[in-house]
Amino acid sequence: MNRLVPQSQAAMRQRNLSRVLHTLAAEGPLSRAAVASRIGLTRAAVSTLVDELLRGGLLVEQGPGRSGAVGRPGTALLPTDRGPCGVGAEIGVDHLAVCVMDLRGTVRARLTARTRNRDSDPGQVLDRLAGLLERLAAEADGMGLLPAGLAVAVPGLVARDATTVVRAPNLGWRGVDLAGRLPQDLGPLTVDNEASLGALAELWAGGLSPVPDSFVHVSAEIGIGAAVVVEGQLLRGVHGFAGELGHVPVRPDGRRCTCGARGCLEAYAGEEAVLRAAGLDPGPGVRVDALTVRCESGDRAALQAVRQAGSALGIALAGAVNLLDPSRVVLGGALAGLAPWLLPPLSRELARRTAVAAEGRPTPVPVTVSRIGPDGPLLGAASSVVRTALDTPGTFLNGR
Amino acid sequence: MNRLVPQSQAAMRQRNLSRVLHTLAAEGPLSRAAVASRIGLTRAAVSTLVDELLRGGLLVEQGPGRSGAVGRPGTALLPTDRGPCGVGAEIGVDHLAVCVMDLRGTVRARLTARTRNRDSDPGQVLDRLAGLLERLAAEADGMGLLPAGLAVAVPGLVARDATTVVRAPNLGWRGVDLAGRLPQDLGPLTVDNEASLGALAELWAGGLSPVPDSFVHVSAEIGIGAAVVVEGQLLRGVHGFAGELGHVPVRPDGRRCTCGARGCLEAYAGEEAVLRAAGLDPGPGVRVDALTVRCESGDRAALQAVRQAGSALGIALAGAVNLLDPSRVVLGGALAGLAPWLLPPLSRELARRTAVAAEGRPTPVPVTVSRIGPDGPLLGAASSVVRTALDTPGTFLNGR
């Protein structure tokens, strides 16, 4: 058995380096003593780990820290704001966005372009995105930041290889592999569904909670996606296609959906469906904002359309809550702006249809509006790279 | 960091003892060399572990083994058929069952009593169950088996304390704590939902698969429960209430359900609903068997009722498949006997309503009938104790 011990020691050292780094990214600046008490290691052990991270340039020291320990004040530690960083990108239906985030989780640069990506030629869109990324990389370089990876959020299903967009109906894309089509010097590429990345951003915004969160995160835009987070882990599904809330049946014999089936949630609560039901033509530029204005002014057709969408969301989410028993439901995406009118019918359906398991849990399951807003997918993308860097500090500590 | 090493070595030793034991329980008899190759340790390391398990009485040796290695034939090893065992119990709506399972997974004794537990006094039912368990314990004792725990399957929601039945509508129970009400000498008590234990039995029957399975397991009886297994782990939910497929809305404005809501799956595909729709009075003793006979004889009302149940199951499962992207759906419980008539409409709805993510996966998601049948919850209960014993062999190796 002895031959396994060195391997395990090395793995444990990596894990402990990562725990120090994660703690400082989430709660820094902190003294060595404060880090030690938070992660349950001795001060001596933490000092060794910190020295290694300082030598490797992943941590920096700042004047006297806020440690309440007796004796000389500890020096406050913080992840570097130079060195490894995450690059995030988002391909939306009518915009492209890119950003760079340092190890502290701060967005250091961000570029956005309004473009029409609906029914688009993937080559053109990717060329434009590559241009934005090159400009962003120059910005990062100027700040001493070194991209450790690129994550791209797309409104569609992504294969488990994490580079191929299997299907993005609102872009009109099918089977588009992004590998090799974006700048190669940003580190490893991963592509992910926007709803998944939005949910991860929401999860990570919650900080290092002692009890990992379990929730259903709804991204209601033109398409309706969801992400199921179970004890802090995103449930991806066997093919990577979990979270297709938009095609959960809510009126089995009802409206025809773009997918060919009848009565899908998206046919009642997707952005276009709601705009149409409110008597608005969902042409280019006509968005949820217009609906918000009408709801505020008391427009009956608009209010009725939003109420119907809220009920439909409530029916679909009642199914999800019965199946998954999450601690809460989080509403993100464009429709979150309609929360004042959407939430009452949504919560009513949810309460009524999840009563059987009501004992011992809040009824209805709390529904909250995303803390992050429409930036969720972009921030989730950049964060996913930063978190990978924090998980594997050894990658940046060569030869030590 | 050094202070952590001994702890980790001890934990690793425990894990390796457990891996040896699990491998032999799943695939034994095997030689030491065969175990070593399966778990990726050296033969010397495995010999040390095996010696410890032999001394502790958890393994036994049998004549020459089937090892293909050169040199003297290895001795074949197997978990003991004496010593630690699991006790399972099931409280059904009209029966009680108990069994004892050895570390090889063999059911060594089993007792069943037909009783009416619907709208029952929990005290009376638990007294009767205690009597059965005492007789079973005497049988186990006579075979040299030592109960390492008792797991009880119930048709209802169980609190995360794992001893309190929060609500079992078909027993008429609410807030019944089983702790201290069953024989105390069988080891730790755990109570679990029958659908969850049925799914675990199904999972474990699949053996030690290299890719942990992800599936939705439906237990269709008087109530309809489900269990969601993700990469080999049962998804329990924040309050322990996940899997309430029976109250997923399938016809939001449709039939009133016993839970108070309209259009729940259970109101269309629960055993009583189907019997009623087929023109049968769902009184005591009238069960799915009667329906099977009628379907076989071509009775139109029966066929129509089962088709409607199949569609409703398909609609609810389409929601589950869209959300979870499992590799398959498994149909267990009493309604599994109606599979020849239930599956075609079920699969049709499922195919139609999960088409959006059809690329790259089989369409429709395969629906299979449980390999285990109605014994799932009882076997799952006993297995859960046996698996805990295999996970923690140190408990039985005192002072070594």
Side-chain angles (χ1 to χ4, degrees):
Chain A
M1 280 176 64
N2 274 337
R3 75 177 187 88
L4 281 178
V5 175
Q7 187 193 353
S8 156
Q9 263 177 315
M12 189 160 43
R13 191 178 123 267
Q14 286 306 314
R15 206 177 61 226
N16 286 335
L17 286 168
S18 170
R19 288 169 70 205
V20 170
L21 211 44
H22 269 291
T23 302
L24 289 168
E27 302 183 64
L30 293 173
S31 68
R32 287 165 175 79
V35 172
S37 86
R38 275 172 178 70
I39 67 178
L41 291 180
T42 62
R43 228 206 106 164
V46 166
S47 283
T48 310
L49 295 164
V50 162
D51 287 347
E52 186 166 356
L53 293 167
L54 284 168
R55 276 200 308 275
L58 297 183
L59 288 186
V60 292
E61 287 182 293
Q62 285 188 329
R66 301 178 300 191
S67 160
V70 291
R72 70 172 179 91
T75 316
L77 299 159
L78 210 58
T80 178
D81 60 355
R82 302 174 59 85
C85 66
V87 179
E90 184 183 9
I91 302 175
V93 173
D94 48 23
H95 76 288
L96 297 173
V98 297
C99 77
V100 59
M101 183 184 279
D102 65 23
L103 290 188
R104 297 177 188 177
T106 307
V107 172
R108 301 288 297 282
R110 180 184 167 139
L111 300 169
T112 308
R114 288 226 136 317
T115 60
R116 292 268 173 75
N117 301 326
R118 180 181 286 273
D119 298 323
S120 57
D121 170 16
Q124 283 182 3
V125 174
L126 294 174
D127 284 351
R128 213 168 290 145
L129 183 62
L132 279 181
L133 286 167
E134 276 158 21
R135 284 163 51 201
L136 187 78
E139 297 281 349
D141 189 54
M143 294 185 280
L145 290 165
L146 300 166
L150 165 63
V152 183
V154 295
L157 299 171
V158 178
R160 286 206 83 151
D161 70 1
T163 64
T164 302
V165 180
V166 174
R167 187 169 179 178
N170 294 313
L171 300 180
W173 292 12
R174 268 173 187 253
V176 178
D177 190 352
L178 271 59
R181 301 175 76 169
L182 294 171
Q184 305 287 299
D185 51 354
L186 304 176
L189 168 72
T190 53
V191 182
D192 208 340
N193 175 269
E194 59 173 17
S196 299
L197 289 169
L200 289 174
E202 179 74 21
L203 173 71
W204 294 329
L208 292 175
S209 162
V211 181
D213 207 356
S214 295
F215 60 89
V216 176
H217 185 273
V218 183
S219 291
E221 315 268 354
I222 293 171
I224 295 182
V228 177
V229 174
V230 178
E231 295 179 8
Q233 297 291 316
L234 185 65
L235 192 152
R236 293 195 172 270
V238 171
H239 310 90
F241 299 166
E244 279 292 310
L245 188 74
H247 301 283
V248 167
V250 295
R251 305 269 173 203
D253 302 317
R255 282 187 205 156
R256 181 73 72 184
C257 177
T258 52
C259 77
R262 281 194 180 277
C264 298
L265 173 62
E266 206 161 292
Y268 292 87
E271 195 173 333
E272 294 198 353
V274 183
L275 288 171
R276 267 206 194 89
L280 291 163
D281 180 19
V286 180
R287 308 308 297 269
V288 164
D289 296 347
L291 207 53
T292 310
V293 171
R294 293 207 176 192
C295 284
E296 276 166 352
S297 72
D299 181 284
R300 290 179 66 173
L303 288 169
Q304 170 67 14
V306 174
R307 263 198 300 270
Q308 197 177 37
S311 290
L313 274 164
I315 292 168
L317 286 168
V321 168
N322 276 313
L323 272 175
L324 302 167
D325 183 19
S327 65
R328 61 196 174 106
V329 170
V330 184
L331 195 60
L335 287 186
L338 294 168
W341 305 281
L342 211 50
L343 285 189
L346 191 166
S347 298
R348 200 156 45 235
E349 292 289 349
L350 203 49
R352 175 187 293 168
R353 299 182 184 282
T354 57
V356 76
E359 278 101 325
R361 78 173 177 196
T363 312
V365 174
V367 182
T368 57
V369 175
S370 168
R371 290 170 278 195
I372 300 169
D375 273 350
L378 180 65
L379 296 180
S383 299
S384 72
V385 178
V386 169
R387 292 186 70 89
T388 301
L390 298 175
D391 286 344
T392 54
T395 322
F396 310 102
L397 303 171
N398 288 332
R400 280 162 220 265
Chain B
M1 280 177 66
N2 274 338
R3 73 177 188 91
L4 281 177
V5 174
Q7 188 194 352
S8 157
Q9 262 177 316
M12 188 159 45
R13 190 179 123 266
Q14 287 305 316
R15 206 177 61 225
N16 285 335
L17 286 168
S18 170
R19 289 169 71 204
V20 169
L21 210 44
H22 268 291
T23 303
L24 289 167
E27 301 183 64
L30 293 172
S31 68
R32 287 166 176 78
V35 172
S37 86
R38 273 173 181 70
I39 66 178
L41 291 180
T42 63
R43 227 205 108 166
V46 166
S47 283
T48 310
L49 295 164
V50 162
D51 288 347
E52 185 166 356
L53 293 167
L54 284 168
R55 276 200 309 275
L58 296 183
L59 289 186
V60 293
E61 287 183 294
Q62 285 188 331
R66 300 177 300 190
S67 159
V70 290
R72 71 174 175 88
T75 317
L77 299 160
L78 210 57
T80 178
D81 60 355
R82 302 173 60 86
C85 67
V87 180
E90 184 184 9
I91 302 174
V93 172
D94 48 23
H95 77 288
L96 296 173
V98 297
C99 77
V100 59
M101 183 184 279
D102 66 23
L103 290 187
R104 296 176 189 177
T106 307
V107 172
R108 301 288 297 283
R110 181 185 167 139
L111 300 169
T112 308
R114 288 226 141 305
T115 59
R116 292 266 175 75
N117 300 327
R118 180 182 286 272
D119 298 322
S120 57
D121 170 16
Q124 283 183 6
V125 174
L126 294 173
D127 285 350
R128 213 168 287 145
L129 183 62
L132 279 181
L133 286 167
E134 277 158 21
R135 284 163 52 201
L136 186 78
E139 296 281 348
D141 189 54
M143 294 185 280
L145 290 165
L146 299 167
L150 165 63
V152 183
V154 294
L157 299 172
V158 178
R160 286 205 85 151
D161 69 2
T163 63
T164 302
V165 180
V166 174
R167 188 169 178 177
N170 293 312
L171 300 179
W173 293 12
R174 269 175 186 249
V176 178
D177 189 353
L178 272 60
R181 301 176 75 168
L182 293 171
Q184 305 288 301
D185 52 353
L186 304 177
L189 168 72
T190 53
V191 182
D192 207 342
N193 174 268
E194 60 173 17
S196 299
L197 289 169
L200 289 173
E202 179 75 23
L203 173 71
W204 294 330
L208 293 175
S209 160
V211 181
D213 207 354
S214 294
F215 60 88
V216 176
H217 185 273
V218 183
S219 291
E221 316 267 355
I222 292 170
I224 295 181
V228 177
V229 174
V230 179
E231 295 180 9
Q233 297 291 317
L234 185 65
L235 190 153
R236 292 194 173 270
V238 171
H239 310 90
F241 300 166
E244 280 290 312
L245 189 73
H247 301 283
V248 167
V250 295
R251 304 270 173 204
D253 302 317
R255 282 188 205 155
R256 182 71 71 181
C257 177
T258 51
C259 77
R262 283 194 179 276
C264 297
L265 173 62
E266 208 162 291
Y268 291 86
E271 195 173 332
E272 295 197 352
V274 183
L275 288 171
R276 268 205 192 91
L280 290 163
D281 180 19
V286 179
R287 308 309 298 267
V288 162
D289 296 348
L291 207 53
T292 311
V293 171
R294 294 206 177 191
C295 284
E296 277 167 351
S297 72
D299 180 283
R300 290 180 65 175
L303 289 169
Q304 170 68 14
V306 173
R307 262 198 300 269
Q308 197 177 35
S311 290
L313 273 165
I315 291 168
L317 286 168
V321 167
N322 276 313
L323 273 175
L324 302 168
D325 184 19
S327 66
R328 61 197 173 104
V329 169
V330 184
L331 196 60
L335 287 185
L338 293 168
W341 306 281
L342 212 50
L343 285 189
L346 190 166
S347 298
R348 198 155 46 235
E349 292 288 350
L350 203 49
R352 175 187 294 169
R353 299 182 184 282
T354 56
V356 74
E359 279 103 323
R361 78 173 177 197
T363 311
V365 174
V367 182
T368 57
V369 175
S370 168
R371 289 169 280 194
I372 298 169
D375 273 349
L378 180 65
L379 296 179
S383 299
S384 72
V385 179
V386 168
R387 291 185 71 89
T388 301
L390 298 175
D391 285 344
T392 54
T395 322
F396 310 102
L397 302 171
N398 288 333
R400 281 161 220 268

